[in-house]
């Protein structure tokens, strides 16, 4: 018998790391397809740019450490990081946005800490936060969903806008975001935060075209797509239910009571659950086996903490969503969570 020493993630699943990452990619397909339907071809261009950058950066870092690049690339972790970051940013963001974010995620967050299994923070979310803090204008230029938008871009127009920041006709992304009345359309979560700040009630905010019968127009279906993919991961035992359920409960339970006591000022649990990056964060980001808690009890606490932080940031923070910030803050708490939730080793209980 041989005793194999390896870095994390250490899972009890029969899947290899590369197989697990492939399943994550498969599970992302429903959400990505729905997202591209509502937000255009830019979703696919961002994925191509991110994956290309990630594979080059990963190869360079592995070669610099005197290891064979191909064997390291086969684990597909860089691929998943790139896709998660690409679908988190606006589809028409300039090409250099996703390149900078992906380089930071792979080179700094992953390899500076020692490579796969050694990173403290979720690489995709660390890259996203870097971009959001450094380039807030480009990172908040989301077009309205195609069902309510005034402009529809072709494949060539989309590529031209990503490469040069203008359409072939000379329109900027900011101009494309404006409706027929000249008013710029914000994302649903941003519309809620801005509307409440301006003194509107939620009923008045929900009357805007950004909202549908469940939550934000387009966004509700994107979240349901990622929910379907997440349930597939649980069914295949790629992830456990503890973190997603903990996160959704940590977000929706306080949202329910807040809505109960202040229905005109606080969004309800359905709006929170189907807006922004809730389902993507619950099933694909927070469940990162390296940066998440390890025990089942710890995973529930980890998920609840993220959900609660998302609710706090969305309700009183300066950013409309908050999933990325919540995940990174919870990542910092993982050592203390593991310390107090790790099962006692047999024969090493507390002395009486």
């Amino acid at each position: 018998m041989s005793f194999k020493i390896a870095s994390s993630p250490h899972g009890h699943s029969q899947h290899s790391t590369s197989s697990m990452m492939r399943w994550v990619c498969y599970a992302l397909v429903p959400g990505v397809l729905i997202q591209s339907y509502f937000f255009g071809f830019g979703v696919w261009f961002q994925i191509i740019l991110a994956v290309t950058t990630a594979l080059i950066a990963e190869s360079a870092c592995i070669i610099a450490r005197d290891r064979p690049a191909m064997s390291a690339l086969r684990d597909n972790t860089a691929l998943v990081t790139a896709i998660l970051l690409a679908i988190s940013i606006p589809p028409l963001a300039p090409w250099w946005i996703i390149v900078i974010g992906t380089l930071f995620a792979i080179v700094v967050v992953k390899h500076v800490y020692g490579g796969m299994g050694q990173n403290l923070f979720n690489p995709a979310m660390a890259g996203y936060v870097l971009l959001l803090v450094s380039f807030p204008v480009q990172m908040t230029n989301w077009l309205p969903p195609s069902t309510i938008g005034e402009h529809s871009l072709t494949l060539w127009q989309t590529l031209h806008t990503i490469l040069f920041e203008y359409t072939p006709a000379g329109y900027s992304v900011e101009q494309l975001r404006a409706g027929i009345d000249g008013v710029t359309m914000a994302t649903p979560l941003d519309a809620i935060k801005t509307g409440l700040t301006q003194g509107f009630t939620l009923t008045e905010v929900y009357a805007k075209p950004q909202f549908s019968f469940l939550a934000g127009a387009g966004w509700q279906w994107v979240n349901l797509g990622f929910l379907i993919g997440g349930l597939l991961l649980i069914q295949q035992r790629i992830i456990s239910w503890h973190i997603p359920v903990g996160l959704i409960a940590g977000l929706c339970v306080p949202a329910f009571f807040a809505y109960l006591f202040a229905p005109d000022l606080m969004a309800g649990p359905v709006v929170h659950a189907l807006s922004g990056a809730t389902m993507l964060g619950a099933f694909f980001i927070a469940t990162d086996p390296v940066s998440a808690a390890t025990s089942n009890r710890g995973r529930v606490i980890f998920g609840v903490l993220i959900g609660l932080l998302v609710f706090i940031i969305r309700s009183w923070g300066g950013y409309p969503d908050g999933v990325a910030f919540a995940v990174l803050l919870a990542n910092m708490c993982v050592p203390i969570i593991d310390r107090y939730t790790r099962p006692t080793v047999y024969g090493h209980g507390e002395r009486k």
Side-chain angles (χ1 to χ4, degrees), residues 16-351:
S16 63
T17 300
S18 60
S19 175
M20 291 173 62
M21 295 300 105
R22 281 198 304 272
W23 271 105
V24 171
C25 292
Y26 300 152
L28 283 168
V29 170
V32 172
L33 288 176
I34 296 173
Q35 186 171 336
S36 62
Y37 171 78
F38 283 104
F39 296 100
F41 299 110
V43 175
W44 297 103
F45 285 126
Q46 298 293 350
I47 290 175
I48 293 171
L49 285 169
V51 169
T52 303
T53 304
L55 294 180
I56 294 173
E58 181 92 344
S59 300
C61 291
I62 294 298
I63 292 172
R65 296 167 64 183
D66 294 326
R67 292 176 52 197
M70 286 307 300
S71 60
L73 290 176
R74 291 193 189 101
D75 61 35
N76 296 319
T77 55
L79 176 67
V80 171
T81 296
I83 296 175
L84 291 176
L85 181 56
I87 61 179
S88 299
I89 71 171
L92 293 184
W95 64 270
W96 48 268
I97 287 285
I98 191 61
V99 170
I100 292 173
T102 305
L103 285 174
F104 181 79
I106 298 297
V107 177
V108 178
V109 183
K110 182 178 180 180
H111 283 283
V112 167
Y113 278 86
M116 188 185 76
Q118 306 299 322
N119 48 285
L120 174 63
F121 298 103
N122 182 288
M125 290 302 93
Y128 177 86
V129 167
L130 170 78
L131 295 175
L132 186 60
V133 173
S134 304
F135 312 104
V137 175
Q138 290 81 2
M139 287 294 290
T140 53
N141 273 340
W142 283 87
L143 289 184
S146 58
T147 52
I148 61 173
E150 297 294 333
H151 305 279
S152 180
L153 299 183
T154 64
L155 189 68
W156 163 241
Q157 290 172 332
T158 302
L159 178 60
H160 192 282
T161 305
I162 292 174
L163 293 179
F164 303 106
E165 303 184 39
Y166 288 91
T167 66
Y171 293 104
S172 66
V173 177
E174 187 64 27
Q175 290 173 311
L176 294 174
R177 293 177 64 200
I180 194 170
D181 54 1
V183 178
T184 298
M185 301 187 69
T187 61
L189 288 174
D190 196 33
I192 291 174
K193 185 173 289 292
T194 303
L196 293 176
T197 302
Q198 294 174 344
F200 294 99
T201 65
L202 277 179
T203 302
E204 294 171 325
V205 173
Y206 290 158
K208 296 182 177 181
Q210 290 99 313
F211 293 91
S212 187
F213 64 100
L214 289 175
W219 293 91
Q220 61 185 13
W221 302 115
V222 172
N223 274 277
L224 289 173
F226 288 125
L227 171 61
I228 293 172
L231 294 177
L232 173 64
L233 292 181
I234 293 177
Q235 188 271 330
Q236 292 293 321
R237 298 187 177 181
I238 304 299
I239 63 173
S240 67
W241 59 267
H242 302 83
I243 292 176
V245 170
L247 191 155
I248 295 171
L251 172 61
C252 292
V253 171
F256 170 77
F257 285 105
Y259 179 75
L260 199 63
F261 288 103
D264 283 335
L265 298 176
M266 306 297 289
V270 176
V271 174
H272 276 290
L274 299 180
S275 296
T278 300
M279 293 302 169
L280 179 66
F283 291 96
F284 296 92
I285 295 172
T287 52
D288 172 26
V290 177
S291 57
T294 54
S295 67
N296 287 338
R297 186 157 57 108
R299 288 170 182 162
V300 173
I301 295 173
F302 177 75
V304 170
L305 176 61
I306 295 175
L308 184 59
L309 288 171
V310 171
F311 172 73
I312 292 172
I313 294 171
R314 286 181 177 180
S315 301
W316 299 286
Y319 291 93
D321 196 346
V323 170
F325 290 99
V327 169
L328 296 183
L329 290 170
N331 287 158
M332 291 190 288
C333 300
V334 165
I336 194 71
I337 294 174
D338 282 345
R339 177 180 176 85
Y340 290 103
T341 60
R342 185 181 295 116
T344 303
V345 178
Y346 181 76
H348 292 270
E350 294 183 359
R351 295 181 180 178

